[in-house]
Amino acid sequence: MVRKAGKVVKLAAQPLLPSSFCFPGPKNYISPDFLVNWLSSAFTYTAMTDYPTPSNFLNPLPAYPVKEMCKAIDDPKTGNDTFEKLYGAANMYYNYSGKATCFDLNDNSDPHGLGGWTWQACTEMVMPTDGNNKESIFQPSEWDYNERVRFCQLILDVKPRSDWITTEFGGYNIESVLKRFGSNIIFFNGLRDPWSGGGVLKDISKSIVAIIAKEGYS
């Protein structure tokens, strides 16, 4: 559904747009890229905070917010309106408290300090990521190191050190590295956490063990 957002938003006659977004420029126009990023951020951060209890980590959210987001998408009141379904789902993340009157897609404030992760991803932890539209709701993407370099230099004026973390701590074939140099380590991963896919999910030795919580969070 996110993949369709760029096409949907071009329909300037959408009655939902003027009442839902704060327009700093020409009325009834939103950059498709800004909107896709706004939607993607809502879905990504909701998955990252899909806790079994209400939370206020990034935004005020109910317990199991992904389920609530799915309810918004499946709301029969939205009919077959793709944009309204997407908007309803994102609204659950950005405005569960009901206090927001409109959303400014040009707002570059960083109340949670997430820019620190951008700095780390541009210096110490260069994490190659890509995606496809067969197993994901998001737009397909391919990892491009040169594009990451351009981004980091433009935003932070730094060049990524792509080999630093694996040189410093090891990482390729982490099982053999830890067997040689590690001991007395417990790796805990909750499989509801999207980041658990990058964790150690099986025992490596008698003293390097993995504890898995299928319905838990790391």
Side-chain angles (χ1 to χ4, degrees):
M1 294 178 73
V2 176
R3 297 192 300 273
K4 297 180 181 179
K7 296 180 181 179
V8 175
V9 75
K10 291 179 182 178
L11 302 178
Q14 277 280 356
L16 198 58
L17 291 178
S19 62
S20 302
F21 296 97
C22 308
F23 291 90
K27 276 288 185 181
N28 295 0
Y29 175 78
I30 292 178
S31 164
D33 291 336
F34 277 35
L35 180 60
V36 169
N37 183 65
W38 184 78
L39 292 169
S40 298
S41 295
F43 302 145
T44 300
Y45 291 142
T46 298
M48 287 171 55
T49 53
D50 191 31
Y51 305 133
T53 57
S55 67
N56 192 23
F57 175 46
L58 296 178
N59 280 332
L61 292 174
Y64 297 113
V66 169
K67 290 183 179 179
E68 297 303 315
M69 187 172 272
C70 290
K71 288 180 182 178
I73 292 174
D74 293 335
D75 188 344
K77 296 178 182 178
T78 59
N80 294 320
D81 190 325
T82 300
F83 179 75
E84 193 163 354
K85 289 178 179 293
L86 290 169
Y87 175 82
N91 187 64
M92 197 288 304
Y93 171 76
Y94 289 113
N95 193 29
Y96 182 70
S97 66
K99 295 180 180 179
T101 56
C102 68
F103 303 110
D104 182 0
L105 302 191
N106 291 311
D107 182 4
N108 292 319
S109 62
D110 185 15
H112 306 296
L114 297 177
W117 291 109
T118 303
W119 170 264
Q120 192 170 37
C122 278
T123 54
E124 298 176 341
M125 296 178 64
V126 180
M127 297 181 288
T129 56
D130 57 20
N132 64 70
N133 57 12
K134 294 181 180 179
E135 300 174 345
S136 169
I137 64 173
F138 300 105
Q139 292 179 307
S141 61
E142 293 184 4
W143 167 252
D144 185 333
Y145 174 72
N146 292 326
E147 181 60 33
R148 173 57 61 87
V149 171
R150 286 191 290 270
F151 169 80
C152 294
Q153 290 181 326
L154 175 65
I155 301 299
L156 299 169
D157 195 26
V158 296
K159 185 175 181 179
R161 296 180 292 172
S162 58
D163 299 319
W164 178 82
I165 195 164
T166 51
T167 301
E168 185 74 11
F169 296 107
Y172 295 110
N173 196 359
I174 191 172
E175 183 175 348
S176 63
V177 171
L178 289 176
K179 277 184 177 179
R180 291 198 303 268
F181 302 109
S183 63
N184 300 327
I185 302 173
I186 297 175
F187 291 99
F188 174 83
N189 279 282
L191 299 187
R192 291 186 66 85
D193 186 344
W195 289 102
S196 64
V200 176
L201 303 179
K202 64 178 182 179
D203 294 349
I204 292 177
S205 70
K206 290 183 178 180
S207 67
I208 304 177
V209 299
I211 298 176
I212 305 299
K214 291 184 178 180
E215 296 297 322
Y217 250 81
S218 302

